[in-house]
Amino acid sequence: MAKKAKTVTATTIKTRDDLENVFGEYAREVIELDRLTVQMELEIAAVRKKYEEPMTACKEVGDALFSDLNAYAELHPEAFGDRRSLDLLHGTLGFRTCPPKVLQIPGVKVDHTLAAIAAQGLAGELIRTKRELDKDAVLARVAAARDKGPEAAARTAAELAAVGLRVEQGELFYAEPKRENGGVR
């Protein structure tokens, strides 16, 4: 049965001892969650191991049979008539038309292809250019301005605001229990 969470508010924690007690309870719950997770992963691993060998055997046999079916279909196109599939007692086999895809000719490098397209004047049609904000450069610019002083930082912030940007740095609260030796007194 699941535990019901105790409601503790900032008004409940009034002293350092209250804080230590609440953190102790929190640490116990985190450590119990860790223990349960490890136990669950061990049980899942045991189940995987139990089924691994028979599943591998099924896959190997199935892959070999699939290859045989594929070979039959390729060697006997007349069995399909004018259709792409063949209905059988236990299922359907056939060929699906895949969407067209662009592939490099073996031995031809992408750089060669890009250069050849540009040389033919087709770069605007066949080469995609992705434009995106360089956030690292923005952060570097802000850091450099901050190093120059408050006026430079304010000027850079105003420049960024004019183009619809701002740089923020927040804080995240954390509570990290000590996990060694159970972590709880």
Side-chain angles (χ1 to χ4, degrees):
M1 186 166 150
K3 295 179 183 180
K4 177 138 171 108
K6 239 197 264 186
T7 302
V8 178
T9 64
T11 58
T12 307
I13 303 172
K14 294 181 179 172
T15 66
R16 177 68 182 236
D17 284 342
D18 292 343
L19 181 62
E20 290 289 350
N21 289 333
V22 170
F23 200 106
E25 290 178 42
Y26 170 73
R28 273 190 290 281
E29 294 303 322
V30 168
I31 291 165
E32 178 65 6
L33 178 62
D34 289 348
R35 186 192 69 74
L36 292 170
T37 301
V38 167
Q39 182 62 36
M40 178 185 70
E41 294 297 334
L42 289 172
E43 290 177 22
I44 290 171
V47 170
R48 282 187 202 281
K49 186 169 179 59
K50 175 182 173 183
Y51 288 97
E52 184 175 3
E53 190 176 320
M55 287 176 70
T56 300
C58 285
K59 180 163 177 24
E60 288 172 359
V61 171
D63 288 349
L65 293 171
F66 183 86
S67 293
D68 290 346
L69 292 169
N70 186 23
Y72 174 86
E74 288 183 11
L75 292 172
H76 298 92
E78 73 281 355
F80 293 88
D82 60 348
R83 299 185 58 218
R84 304 283 300 150
S85 61
L86 184 60
D87 290 326
L88 301 171
L89 178 63
H90 297 286
T92 305
L93 61 91
F95 296 94
R96 290 191 177 106
T97 302
C98 300
K101 58 185 172 181
V102 178
L103 301 172
Q104 287 291 133
I105 295 173
V108 178
K109 303 277 187 213
V110 172
D111 291 339
H112 172 77
T113 300
L114 293 173
I117 288 171
Q120 291 183 14
L122 299 173
E125 287 180 55
L126 302 179
I127 297 177
R128 178 173 47 208
T129 303
K130 183 177 180 182
R131 294 180 54 177
E132 61 186 1
L133 181 64
D134 186 350
K135 293 180 181 180
D136 291 333
V138 172
L139 292 173
R141 183 180 181 116
V142 168
R146 194 178 311 122
D147 291 343
K148 291 178 184 174
E151 288 179 14
R155 191 170 43 254
T156 300
E159 290 170 355
L160 291 176
V163 296
L165 295 174
R166 71 175 190 265
V167 174
E168 287 185 359
Q169 185 171 6
E171 288 185 342
L172 289 175
F173 174 78
Y174 73 95
E176 183 63 41
K178 295 178 183 173
R179 287 178 163 88
E180 67 278 353
N181 298 326
V184 181
R185 292 185 258 172

